[in-house]
Amino acid sequence: MRKGVAKLAGWITVFTFIFIFCSCIECALARQEIVSLSTRYDANGRGITLTYLIDTPDVKEMRCILFVIPGGNGLMKLSKKSDGTITHALRANTFMRLAPFFRERSIGLAFIDVPSDHADGINTNFRKDKAHLTDLEGVVKDLKNRYPSTKIYMGSSGSGGISALFSAKGAAANISGVILAGADYNQLHAYDHSGIKIPVIALHHMEDGCDSSPFLEAKEVAEKYSFGLVPFSGGKPDTDKDPCGSLTKHGFVGLEGQLAQAIDDFMEGRKASVQTAQDAKVFLNEHVVFVPMQNDSQEIKLQTTVFQPDGAGPFPLIVLSHGVPFDKAEAAEVKYRQRFSAQAQEFVNRGFVVAIPMRRGYGLSGGRMNNSVGSTIHTFGLEDAKDIKATVDFMSRQPAVDPKRIVLVGQSGGGLASLAYGSLADPNVKGIINFAGGLKVTSRTRWDIEMADAFGNFARTTKVPSLWFYTENDSYFPPDVARRAYEAYQKNGGQAKLIPLAAFRKDGHLLFHSAEGNQIWREEVLKFLAQIGF
């Protein structure tokens, strides 16, 4: 009798599972369509076209449509196979992963691909351009024509948030609200969004480790412009190596249900039902301090990002210095806070406090950018070293920092500044790590020799060892330039080890900027730190 009951119970379980599984499939059924639009003309009078994907639930009436603007380079690569199957490159995209949840809620989705005049992808500058806003407006109008009685919301992640907020200023007539999920706040916080008259909700993971998406700026922007803010915590461990990948905390991996619920709450005008854990912390205990510095007899403040381990310390200190913009495209971004979050994590995980000062004129730091390049590269480096000194002095007074155990790390112009500070013979600095350090002065024909002379001058009074990384395809400091600077440094008594690296992506100068580069330099850096007593 018991066996018969157990067998019957087993079959009931199987049929129940099949029923639930089939029900989920049915509720997740969708109608998909690729739409082609002509949105504008280029300067030569050629018509510009784009495609977008419509993914609507198989119901009589949709509650609303979420128009999604992908981040990154925006490439969706929409296509339709001969059998009618639609393919694209956004399988892991945050909103694409939420599609089943939205279908269950009778919410449609639309995803835009890049326009025909940007077939290789779009950048952040184009996302603010009138042409891009015209493209977005064209899709919104087409959706409104198709579904005249259905509300349209604009959704975005990463740099798609730039598109969404710049577009929202002129889209109030057809857009009911904007959803920012892990948006690029390092860009967004630098612009004025007071002209937006429709509701905006910021959804952000407190431990977002993506360099361009700090939670601190998400909170700052939301408070400044009265956007809604829903902080998330928890979820699954990151599976993407890139902290800006979709399958990370940046992409809300493991939190898809809660994210869909928060968006649904926003669309319905309800208070967010998602609750952040009481003990949730921001990424690597990140906080921003303003370091006082005397500059031309006036006190200014340097915006400085600090990451640190859990606990009271004291911990050894790393001062990590950013580079110098070489062209107008980079110069336009000097107001963004440099975080080097993936790189800082390597050091915090090994017990270091990491301080990243924005030097004078960068980020929200006071003063003007260093313009002493009119004299020599040597004096330029020493001028930037003053900012490092102010940071070292300030951080050395913090309870969590061991003031006698300091390492300098610098990338590009920050490497130059770090070597320059090393020449001041601070006894508390135990070593210097130089990633593609230097300064390229294109207005002078033999700037490479001048750079080598500067490095040689720094070496004369530097008492600590240094580790140097340069790649084969560095567009600013190719191998012959790096070798010349290294030989000048050694010739004048500098203790240095040069690690020549193979080509990295399209430009090895950006190796340190990439989370992928960590695995290339990690082993040598750990050996160096061990050799100098860490």
Side-chain angles (χ1 to χ4, degrees), residues 288-367:
V288 174
V289 297
F290 284 84
V291 171
M293 176 184 177
Q294 286 299 123
N295 180 54
D296 296 331
S297 73
Q298 291 183 330
E299 183 178 273
I300 62 168
K301 295 184 182 297
L302 304 178
Q303 182 189 31
T304 302
T305 301
V306 179
F307 297 105
Q308 67 185 64
D310 292 333
F315 304 105
L317 171 68
I318 281 179
V319 177
L320 200 169
S321 298
H322 62 79
V324 174
F326 287 99
D327 56 42
K328 291 180 180 179
E330 292 172 342
E333 303 193 1
V334 298
K335 290 302 178 184
Y336 309 146
R337 178 168 66 95
Q338 295 282 348
R339 296 174 71 221
F340 294 106
S341 53
Q343 297 75 12
Q345 188 168 22
E346 295 283 348
F347 298 112
V348 173
N349 287 348
R350 290 163 178 85
F352 287 87
V353 169
V354 178
I356 309 172
M358 300 304 296
R359 296 193 296 278
R360 284 165 289 172
Y362 293 88
L364 298 181
S365 293

Side-chain angles (χ1 to χ4, degrees), residues 48 85 201 325 337 348 368 397 414 430 451:
I48 303 303
T85 304
I201 187 77
R337 178 168 66 95
V348 173
R368 294 181 178 179
R397 297 193 297 270
K430 306 305 180 185
M451 188 177 106

Side-chain angles (χ1 to χ4, degrees), residues 451-461 485 488-494:
M451 188 177 106
D453 290 341
F455 279 38
N457 285 331
F458 297 148
R460 289 189 175 94
T461 52
Y489 195 83
Q490 280 198 314
K491 182 180 178 180
N492 286 279

Side-chain angles (χ1 to χ4, degrees), residues 50-68:
L50 59 81
T51 58
Y52 75 95
L53 173 68
I54 296 179
D55 183 310
T56 56
D58 196 8
V59 293
K60 290 183 178 179
E61 186 175 350
M62 285 188 296
R63 288 171 49 209
C64 53
I65 295 173
L66 182 58
F67 171 34
V68 178

Side-chain angles (χ1 to χ4, degrees), residues 423-449:
S423 72
L424 304 182
D426 182 341
N428 296 321
V429 172
K430 306 305 180 185
I432 305 167
I433 305 175
N434 163 30
F435 288 94
L439 186 71
K440 184 175 182 179
V441 187
T442 54
S443 60
R444 298 205 278 271
T445 54
R446 293 317 307 266
W447 62 267
D448 54 331
I449 294 177

